[in-house]
Amino acid sequence: MNIKKSIIIFFSVFSLPLFGYNRMPQPLEDFINIVYETTASQQLIHSLYQENCTYLSENFSGKEYETYQAYNDYILGLDKYYRNQKKEAEIAFDKGISHIEKSMNFGQDAENLTLYAKLIFQNSAIKPLMQYAIVMIPKISGLTKKAISLDPTYTPAYVMRNSFLCCIPSPYGNYREGLKKMEELTGNQSLEKSKVDWYSIYSTQAYAYNHTGNKAEAIKSYQNALKIFPNCCESKNYLNQLLSSK
């Protein structure tokens, strides 16, 4: 498969939500949980976003502020993406990238490197120019590798690395290798996993199982994901498609 064809295929996989956290302030944790449920009104989402902007500016500065505001923008972008408001999602992801680049100017760590990878990954589905994905997607592997080397205990970096392998076709990703690494991660008791980490693990496993022809395991994985966030529209849609094709 040539690189151009691979990049085109990327755009069929970016709706998988890929977000994880270990050390977020409570308002951001609450915000991402609400967005994953995909039942909140736009008015509530915008109200929570603005409240978080105020909270973050009043309680954090420098590197921490830039990182947490990037999370805030990422979460808003994810909500817009779920609503198929792609231009608004692109604006939010671009803002998140601007903040995370400022955070990295203060110094790179596992958290801002991983979030940068996630923002690139998601934004590549939104940008109308394929050139963005061609240039930016190959960076994700290096970002997650460096994040893990800086902090081998930071679970979201492993989730992002494995999700990249599970969701992106050759020559960048590798479905079977991604599944293998996800299995290793689920069995690694030394790495603490958040609710969102588990959701991301199950949903990306489901995608990879489906693309390796194992629909039964794909269905099981989406069902596990929906035990965590029962109302998430993306996993519901993917599961229904698989069930209807049996």
Side-chain angles (χ1 to χ4, degrees):
M1 180 183 295
N2 62 41
I3 292 177
K4 182 176 180 181
K5 186 174 181 181
S6 297
I7 293 295
I8 291 172
I9 294 175
F10 287 161
F11 292 94
S12 69
V13 306
F14 279 99
S15 57
L16 289 172
L18 295 167
F19 192 87
Y21 55 84
N22 281 4
R23 312 167 221 185
M24 281 202 296
Q26 191 63 46
L28 288 178
E29 184 174 332
D30 294 340
F31 192 24
I32 187 64
N33 284 329
I34 288 170
V35 166
Y36 268 93
E37 283 296 322
T38 63
T39 57
S41 68
Q42 290 195 71
Q43 182 178 2
L44 175 58
I45 294 298
H46 279 278
S47 176
L48 291 172
Y49 172 79
Q50 292 299 333
E51 288 174 10
N52 283 343
C53 287
T54 301
Y55 167 79
L56 294 173
S57 66
E58 291 177 349
N59 290 277
F60 301 96
S61 62
K63 184 179 180 179
E64 279 190 318
Y65 167 76
E66 299 296 348
T67 299
Y68 292 145
Q69 185 55 48
Y71 276 130
N72 199 30
D73 290 321
Y74 180 95
I75 299 166
L76 178 64
L78 184 60
D79 179 78
K80 295 296 184 183
Y81 188 81
Y82 279 141
R83 299 178 193 275
N84 201 33
Q85 298 173 355
K86 293 188 177 182
K87 183 60 180 177
E88 290 84 355
E90 179 186 355
I91 292 170
F93 293 138
D94 281 343
K95 288 176 66 177
I97 286 174
S98 177
H99 282 291
I100 207 63
E101 287 176 343
K102 290 177 183 177
S103 171
M104 292 168 67
N105 286 337
F106 286 99
Q108 295 183 355
D109 58 32
E111 188 171 28
N112 59 27
L113 286 165
T114 301
L115 181 53
Y116 189 36
K118 293 172 185 174
L119 282 159
I120 290 172
F121 192 89
Q122 192 66 46
N123 212 17
S124 294
I126 306 300
K127 293 288 187 184
L129 297 177
M130 189 182 299
Q131 185 64 29
Y132 180 88
I134 293 173
V135 172
M136 300 301 285
I137 285 294
K139 295 183 179 183
I140 292 175
S141 180
L143 289 167
T144 54
K145 181 178 180 180
K146 186 171 184 179
I148 291 169
S149 71
L150 290 174
D151 185 355
T153 69
Y154 189 62
T155 304
Y158 293 92
V159 176
M160 183 64 228
R161 178 199 65 181
N162 300 349
S163 296
F164 176 81
L165 291 170
C166 283
C167 294
I168 303 300
S170 175
Y172 302 111
N174 184 314
Y175 301 136
R176 297 187 187 281
E177 180 67 15
L179 285 168
K180 178 182 176 182
K181 288 187 178 297
M182 276 301 193
E183 285 298 321
E184 292 171 356
L185 179 59
T186 59
N188 189 335
Q189 301 300 315
S190 66
L191 290 173
E192 182 181 354
K193 301 170 188 68
S194 70
K195 182 178 179 180
V196 174
D197 289 328
W198 279 115
Y199 178 80
S200 296
I201 288 169
Y202 288 135
S203 60
T204 53
Q205 280 180 319
Y207 183 88
Y209 276 128
N210 188 36
H211 280 73
T212 55
N214 194 337
K215 287 190 176 182
E217 285 298 322
I219 289 169
K220 181 179 176 180
S221 294
Y222 278 129
Q223 289 171 336
N224 285 334
L226 287 166
K227 290 177 183 177
I228 301 172
F229 290 108
N231 297 308
C232 186
C233 63
E234 288 293 320
S235 285
K236 278 186 173 181
N237 290 340
Y238 283 125
L239 177 59
N240 288 337
Q241 288 173 20
L242 284 171
L243 291 173
S244 64
S245 65
K246 288 183 68 177

